[in-house]
């Protein structure tokens, strides 16, 4: 499994969660952006594409992880978490949106940790990455 594929799920989750939480106006993120002079990034025209692209990278990484360990669980949890992020940012407004966004971000982080655990178990098993597909 290439280094890019190993890092894709985690990097995509970080990017998507950052964009969604920034859209939600999370004080810590908004303050940090202002402190480093990047307040202009708090714009839906920038954050929505960042969130969608990051989710695409993350889901691709989870798909590659599934090819390695054979479990669909992390991919399914990540898909549900990504759907919650999108719903919270695009369709739901007000206080409930923040709750849905936080739940989606938590699901994505849990899926990343689950995927990492399964990949490590598979690598430690006799024969290495036995479930690894032939695809590059």
């Amino acid at each position: 499994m290439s280094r890019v594929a190993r890092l894709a799920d985690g990097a995509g989750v970080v990017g998507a969660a950052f964009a969604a939480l920034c859209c939600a106006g999370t004080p810590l993120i908004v303050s940090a952006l202002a402190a480093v002079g990047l307040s202009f990034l708090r714009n839906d025209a920038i954050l929505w594409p960042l969130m969608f692209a990051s989710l695409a990278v993350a889901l691709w990484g989870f798909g590659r992880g599934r090819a390695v360990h054979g479990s669909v669980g992390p991919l399914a949890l990540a898909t549900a978490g990504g759907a919650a992020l999108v719903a919270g940012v695009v369709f739901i407004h007000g206080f409930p949106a923040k709750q849905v966004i936080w739940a989606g971000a938590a699901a994505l982080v849990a899926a990343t940790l689950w995927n990492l655990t399964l990949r490590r178990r598979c690598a430690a098993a006799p024969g290495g990455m036995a479930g690894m597909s032939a695809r590059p």
Side-chain angles (χ1 to χ4, degrees):
M1 179 176 230
S2 73
R3 182 178 178 153
V4 172
R6 284 193 314 266
L7 295 176
D9 56 352
V13 165
V14 168
F18 169 79
L21 292 171
C22 193
C23 283
T26 304
L28 179 65
I29 293 175
V30 173
S31 300
L33 285 175
V36 295
L38 297 174
S39 294
F40 68 92
L41 290 177
R42 195 167 181 268
N43 181 345
D44 286 348
I46 295 171
L47 293 172
W48 285 20
L50 173 64
M51 180 181 63
F52 289 123
S54 296
L55 281 174
V57 169
L59 292 176
W60 175 77
F62 284 111
R64 296 295 299 152
R66 182 184 178 280
V68 170
H69 52 66
S71 176
V72 74
L75 178 60
L77 183 58
T79 302
L85 277 185
V86 170
V89 169
V90 178
F91 302 113
I92 302 171
H93 303 287
F95 181 73
K98 289 184 181 185
Q99 304 308 311
V100 172
I101 290 170
W102 277 104
L108 284 167
V109 169
T112 301
L113 295 174
W114 188 6
N115 197 40
L116 179 62
T117 302
L118 290 174
R119 282 196 327 238
R120 284 188 178 167
R121 263 191 218 153
C122 190
M129 303 253 187
M132 182 74 172
S133 70
R135 291 181 289 160

